[in-house]
Amino acid sequence: MSSTQGKVVPFYSIVKWRAAEFKRGIESLKTQKGKYYAVSILIVSLSTGLAVLTLNIHHRGPRGHKLPRLVKTVCFSFLARILFIKIDGPEPDDQEMARYAAYDEANHADIQAPTLSLAEGQQAGGTNVVDVLNRLLHTVEQAIGLQKRRVAKQDSLDQITYEWKQLAIVLERALTIIFLFVTVYTTVAMFS
């Protein structure tokens, strides 16, 4: 059985001991080795913070926030060129489909949905085939309209997400270059 097992250590003794340890740690930072470790911890913390920032920007698009025009102009026109990053636009198929959808909406907005009329010899009752088919056509037309709106909304959200991901790529490259310069500068400054 240990001799300290039954003893109660006062709280202030623990605090005093920890303060002494902390003081020795601060004193060790005054040495070259301590400075190196402090700078290394700072660099790792900076790297982690920049990675979190880049991931936050990368995943911001699905929330539906549009990329501000100023950010788009500065990062895509200016910074991307300096960093040799080619910013791709939407695929041509997507643009072509959007153009056809806009043409379809503009030219066919005033056209009434097709209806069937009674042929000779049919009764004008409430449950005849023509009424059922008219209701069915109306339901199908509503479903197609709903699907068009969903696809348009999803395309818009995909475009916003794509822009945020492109911004994350540009910022990741810029922050990597800054990180490398800071790391090389601090290493050279520490050992010169």
Side-chain angles (χ1 to χ4, degrees):
M1 206 168 170
S2 174
S3 63
T4 60
Q5 191 172 8
K7 295 182 181 179
V8 176
V9 179
F11 178 71
Y12 67 90
S13 297
I14 295 172
V15 171
K16 188 176 176 183
W17 175 73
R18 288 304 233 171
E21 288 291 319
F22 182 72
K23 186 176 179 184
R24 280 193 292 272
I26 294 295
E27 287 174 3
S28 73
L29 286 178
K30 295 177 183 175
T31 66
Q32 189 73 10
K33 192 178 191 182
K35 288 179 185 176
Y36 174 75
Y37 287 129
V39 169
S40 295
I41 289 172
L42 179 70
I43 288 173
V44 168
S45 299
L46 177 68
S47 171
T48 304
L50 295 178
V52 168
L53 175 72
T54 304
L55 286 172
N56 187 11
I57 289 171
H58 178 82
H59 292 290
R60 190 169 178 89
R63 291 183 240 153
H65 301 289
K66 285 191 172 188
L67 192 63
R69 181 174 287 161
L70 178 64
V71 172
K72 197 184 293 189
T73 303
V74 169
C75 289
F76 293 164
S77 300
F78 177 69
L79 196 56
R81 244 185 242 149
I82 291 172
L83 298 172
F84 303 107
I85 298 174
K86 182 183 175 210
I87 300 297
D88 299 324
E91 294 182 14
D93 293 339
D94 294 341
Q95 288 178 346
E96 192 172 314
M97 287 176 59
R99 190 172 54 243
Y100 286 140
Y103 173 80
D104 187 42
E105 288 291 324
N107 291 326
H108 298 98
D110 56 346
I111 297 176
Q112 293 284 339
T115 58
L116 298 174
S117 60
L118 291 174
E120 254 183 65
Q122 289 182 331
Q123 296 179 353
T127 59
N128 65 21
V129 175
V130 174
D131 287 341
V132 171
L133 289 176
N134 278 334
R135 285 192 303 263
L136 182 62
L137 280 173
H138 182 69
T139 304
V140 169
E141 177 189 3
Q142 287 178 336
I144 289 172
L146 177 65
Q147 187 62 23
K148 280 183 179 181
R149 288 189 298 275
R150 285 182 180 165
V151 168
K153 185 176 179 181
Q154 184 62 43
D155 287 347
S156 174
L157 186 61
D158 288 346
Q159 180 62 29
I160 290 170
T161 302
Y162 180 76
E163 288 176 353
W164 280 103
K165 287 180 179 183
Q166 290 286 28
L167 176 66
I169 290 170
V170 171
L171 288 181
E172 187 267 334
R173 174 95 45 102
L175 293 174
T176 300
I177 291 171
I178 291 170
F179 177 77
L180 287 174
F181 279 130
V182 167
T183 303
V184 169
Y185 176 76
T186 55
T187 304
V188 169
M190 290 290 300
F191 295 109
S192 61

